[in-house]
Amino acid sequence: MLLVVVGVVVAAVRIAAGSPVAGGIALLAFVLLAGLYSPLAFPRSIGAVEAQRRSAVDGRPIVYWRPGCKYCLRLRIRLGRDARRLHWVNIWRDPAGAAAVRAATGGDETVPTVVLAGRPYINPDPGWVREQLPQST
């Protein structure tokens, strides 16, 4: 939301200065950035406990992430439609998820942290993550 507000202010200043095209471009850029860094760009997050339960049943990896993380965004974009085949946990909304990441990383909240079969992988390559997905959907 902050990016959209800043974009509106920058656009208004540019338009007031007599550059409506530059203002429109600036606004568009800020709106695009806001969309990319928005939690809405990610599949629906669930709680860590629910993600662990589901992963035990279906074998799908768990991705612990947070909004604004460029590495999380890279993973999400590179996975494309396959991103829906993972269980996503937003550590800023789920204290149990944040605790799971801290336990896996030695005390910090480095994301994305992917947990597969109980083993954590910190910021893994998106291609590797895709290879780990179960074949059945």
Side-chain angles (χ1 to χ4, degrees):
M1 198 58 160
L2 180 61
L3 285 171
V4 173
V5 170
V6 170
V8 168
V9 170
V10 169
V13 168
R14 299 242 185 217
I15 290 169
S19 300
V21 173
I25 291 171
L27 179 59
L28 179 62
F30 276 96
V31 168
L32 287 174
L33 282 173
L36 285 175
Y37 284 98
S38 168
L40 300 175
F42 290 84
R44 189 176 68 84
S45 289
I46 58 175
V49 174
E50 179 64 15
Q52 291 164 0
R53 184 192 69 74
R54 290 182 187 183
S55 181
V57 171
D58 61 21
R60 293 179 181 183
I62 302 168
V63 179
Y64 294 96
W65 72 284
R66 64 176 167 74
C69 168
K70 66 182 178 180
Y71 302 106
C72 298
L73 184 61
R74 177 189 77 131
L75 177 64
R76 167 61 188 98
I77 290 171
R78 298 253 325 263
L79 286 174
R81 290 183 155 207
D82 286 334
R84 293 181 291 175
R85 298 177 55 205
L86 291 94
H87 303 293
W88 293 79
V89 177
N90 180 343
I91 66 167
W92 282 358
R93 290 198 172 196
D94 186 49
V101 171
R102 285 192 301 272
T105 61
D108 58 15
E109 294 183 351
T110 304
V111 289
T113 296
V114 176
V115 176
L116 177 63
R119 184 168 177 205
Y121 299 88
I122 291 53
N123 195 17
D125 180 77
W128 179 86
V129 173
R130 181 177 283 114
E131 292 171 4
Q132 306 311 308
L133 294 174
Q135 293 302 314
S136 62
T137 55

Short mmCIF file of all heavy atoms in Angstrom, two decimals, residues 52 55 59-64 86 100-101 104 113-121 124 128:
data_model
loop_
_atom_site.label_atom_id
_atom_site.label_comp_id
_atom_site.label_asym_id
_atom_site.label_seq_id
_atom_site.Cartn_x
_atom_site.Cartn_y
_atom_site.Cartn_z
N GLN A 52 2.41 -28.24 7.95
CA GLN A 52 3.12 -29.46 8.33
C GLN A 52 2.20 -30.68 8.26
O GLN A 52 2.60 -31.74 7.79
CB GLN A 52 3.70 -29.31 9.74
CG GLN A 52 4.83 -28.30 9.77
CD GLN A 52 5.17 -27.83 11.17
OE1 GLN A 52 4.56 -28.25 12.16
NE2 GLN A 52 6.15 -26.94 11.27
N SER A 55 1.61 -31.39 4.51
CA SER A 55 2.82 -31.90 3.88
C SER A 55 3.06 -33.37 4.26
O SER A 55 3.51 -34.16 3.43
CB SER A 55 4.02 -31.05 4.28
OG SER A 55 5.19 -31.53 3.67
N GLY A 59 3.04 -34.99 0.88
CA GLY A 59 4.45 -34.97 0.50
C GLY A 59 4.93 -33.71 -0.18
O GLY A 59 6.07 -33.64 -0.65
N ARG A 60 4.09 -32.70 -0.25
CA ARG A 60 4.49 -31.44 -0.90
C ARG A 60 5.36 -30.62 0.04
O ARG A 60 5.13 -30.59 1.24
CB ARG A 60 3.26 -30.63 -1.30
CG ARG A 60 2.45 -31.30 -2.38
CD ARG A 60 1.25 -30.48 -2.72
NE ARG A 60 0.44 -31.14 -3.74
CZ ARG A 60 -0.64 -30.61 -4.26
NH1 ARG A 60 -1.05 -29.42 -3.88
NH2 ARG A 60 -1.31 -31.27 -5.17
N PRO A 61 6.34 -29.91 -0.52
CA PRO A 61 7.20 -29.06 0.31
C PRO A 61 6.43 -27.88 0.93
O PRO A 61 5.40 -27.46 0.41
CB PRO A 61 8.25 -28.54 -0.67
CG PRO A 61 8.19 -29.46 -1.84
CD PRO A 61 6.78 -29.94 -1.91
N ILE A 62 6.99 -27.37 2.00
CA ILE A 62 6.48 -26.17 2.66
C ILE A 62 7.44 -25.04 2.35
O ILE A 62 8.66 -25.21 2.46
CB ILE A 62 6.39 -26.36 4.19
CG1 ILE A 62 5.49 -27.54 4.54
CG2 ILE A 62 5.91 -25.07 4.85
CD1 ILE A 62 5.58 -27.95 6.00
N VAL A 63 6.91 -23.89 1.95
CA VAL A 63 7.74 -22.71 1.72
C VAL A 63 7.39 -21.66 2.77
O VAL A 63 6.26 -21.20 2.85
CB VAL A 63 7.51 -22.10 0.31
CG1 VAL A 63 8.37 -20.86 0.12
CG2 VAL A 63 7.78 -23.12 -0.76
N TYR A 64 8.38 -21.31 3.58
CA TYR A 64 8.23 -20.23 4.53
C TYR A 64 8.74 -18.98 3.84
O TYR A 64 9.85 -18.95 3.31
CB TYR A 64 9.04 -20.51 5.80
CG TYR A 64 8.51 -21.70 6.57
CD1 TYR A 64 9.06 -22.96 6.41
CD2 TYR A 64 7.45 -21.55 7.45
CE1 TYR A 64 8.57 -24.06 7.11
CE2 TYR A 64 6.96 -22.63 8.17
CZ TYR A 64 7.52 -23.88 7.98
OH TYR A 64 7.03 -24.95 8.67
N LEU A 86 2.76 -26.15 -3.70
CA LEU A 86 3.50 -26.12 -2.45
C LEU A 86 2.60 -25.52 -1.36
O LEU A 86 1.60 -24.87 -1.66
CB LEU A 86 4.76 -25.26 -2.59
CG LEU A 86 5.85 -25.84 -3.46
CD1 LEU A 86 5.73 -25.34 -4.87
CD2 LEU A 86 7.20 -25.48 -2.91
N ALA A 100 9.62 -21.77 13.28
CA ALA A 100 10.15 -22.90 12.51
C ALA A 100 11.34 -22.47 11.66
O ALA A 100 12.34 -23.19 11.56
CB ALA A 100 9.05 -23.50 11.62
N VAL A 101 11.26 -21.28 11.08
CA VAL A 101 12.38 -20.78 10.27
C VAL A 101 13.58 -20.48 11.16
O VAL A 101 14.72 -20.84 10.83
CB VAL A 101 11.96 -19.53 9.46
CG1 VAL A 101 13.17 -18.88 8.80
CG2 VAL A 101 10.93 -19.91 8.41
N ALA A 104 15.30 -23.62 12.00
CA ALA A 104 15.99 -24.23 10.85
C ALA A 104 17.24 -23.47 10.45
O ALA A 104 18.18 -24.06 9.90
CB ALA A 104 15.04 -24.31 9.66
N THR A 113 12.63 -20.36 3.08
CA THR A 113 13.11 -21.61 3.64
C THR A 113 12.11 -22.66 3.20
O THR A 113 10.92 -22.55 3.47
CB THR A 113 13.20 -21.55 5.17
OG1 THR A 113 14.17 -20.57 5.53
CG2 THR A 113 13.59 -22.89 5.76
N VAL A 114 12.60 -23.66 2.49
CA VAL A 114 11.75 -24.74 1.98
C VAL A 114 12.01 -25.97 2.82
O VAL A 114 13.16 -26.36 3.01
CB VAL A 114 12.04 -25.02 0.49
CG1 VAL A 114 11.22 -26.20 -0.01
CG2 VAL A 114 11.76 -23.78 -0.35
N VAL A 115 10.95 -26.56 3.34
CA VAL A 115 11.07 -27.78 4.14
C VAL A 115 10.48 -28.92 3.33
O VAL A 115 9.32 -28.89 2.93
CB VAL A 115 10.36 -27.64 5.50
CG1 VAL A 115 10.43 -28.94 6.27
CG2 VAL A 115 10.99 -26.51 6.30
N LEU A 116 11.31 -29.93 3.12
CA LEU A 116 10.91 -31.10 2.36
C LEU A 116 11.23 -32.33 3.20
O LEU A 116 12.39 -32.53 3.58
CB LEU A 116 11.66 -31.14 1.03
CG LEU A 116 11.41 -32.34 0.14
CD1 LEU A 116 9.95 -32.39 -0.30
CD2 LEU A 116 12.31 -32.29 -1.08
N ALA A 117 10.21 -33.11 3.49
CA ALA A 117 10.37 -34.33 4.31
C ALA A 117 11.08 -34.02 5.63
O ALA A 117 11.94 -34.77 6.07
CB ALA A 117 11.11 -35.40 3.52
N GLY A 118 10.72 -32.89 6.23
CA GLY A 118 11.28 -32.51 7.51
C GLY A 118 12.66 -31.88 7.47
O GLY A 118 13.19 -31.49 8.50
N ARG A 119 13.25 -31.76 6.30
CA ARG A 119 14.58 -31.18 6.18
C ARG A 119 14.50 -29.79 5.55
O ARG A 119 13.93 -29.64 4.48
CB ARG A 119 15.46 -32.08 5.32
CG ARG A 119 16.87 -31.57 5.24
CD ARG A 119 17.82 -32.56 4.66
NE ARG A 119 19.13 -31.92 4.57
CZ ARG A 119 20.06 -32.26 3.74
NH1 ARG A 119 19.86 -33.27 2.91
NH2 ARG A 119 21.20 -31.63 3.72
N PRO A 120 15.10 -28.78 6.21
CA PRO A 120 15.03 -27.41 5.67
C PRO A 120 16.12 -27.13 4.64
O PRO A 120 17.24 -27.63 4.74
CB PRO A 120 15.24 -26.54 6.91
CG PRO A 120 16.07 -27.38 7.82
CD PRO A 120 15.68 -28.82 7.55
N TYR A 121 15.76 -26.33 3.65
CA TYR A 121 16.69 -25.86 2.64
C TYR A 121 16.51 -24.34 2.56
O TYR A 121 15.42 -23.87 2.29
CB TYR A 121 16.39 -26.49 1.28
CG TYR A 121 16.51 -27.99 1.30
CD1 TYR A 121 15.43 -28.80 1.64
CD2 TYR A 121 17.72 -28.61 1.00
CE1 TYR A 121 15.54 -30.17 1.69
CE2 TYR A 121 17.84 -29.99 1.03
CZ TYR A 121 16.75 -30.77 1.38
OH TYR A 121 16.86 -32.13 1.43
N PRO A 124 16.68 -22.20 -1.65
CA PRO A 124 17.09 -23.16 -2.68
C PRO A 124 16.81 -22.65 -4.09
O PRO A 124 16.01 -21.74 -4.29
CB PRO A 124 16.23 -24.38 -2.38
CG PRO A 124 14.99 -23.80 -1.79
CD PRO A 124 15.46 -22.61 -0.99
N TRP A 128 15.46 -26.65 -8.58
CA TRP A 128 15.56 -27.78 -7.67
C TRP A 128 14.23 -28.00 -6.95
O TRP A 128 13.78 -29.14 -6.80
CB TRP A 128 16.69 -27.56 -6.66
CG TRP A 128 16.81 -28.68 -5.69
CD1 TRP A 128 17.51 -29.84 -5.86
CD2 TRP A 128 16.20 -28.75 -4.41
NE1 TRP A 128 17.36 -30.63 -4.76
CE2 TRP A 128 16.55 -29.98 -3.84
CE3 TRP A 128 15.37 -27.90 -3.68
CZ2 TRP A 128 16.13 -30.39 -2.58
CZ3 TRP A 128 14.94 -28.31 -2.42
CH2 TRP A 128 15.31 -29.53 -1.89
#
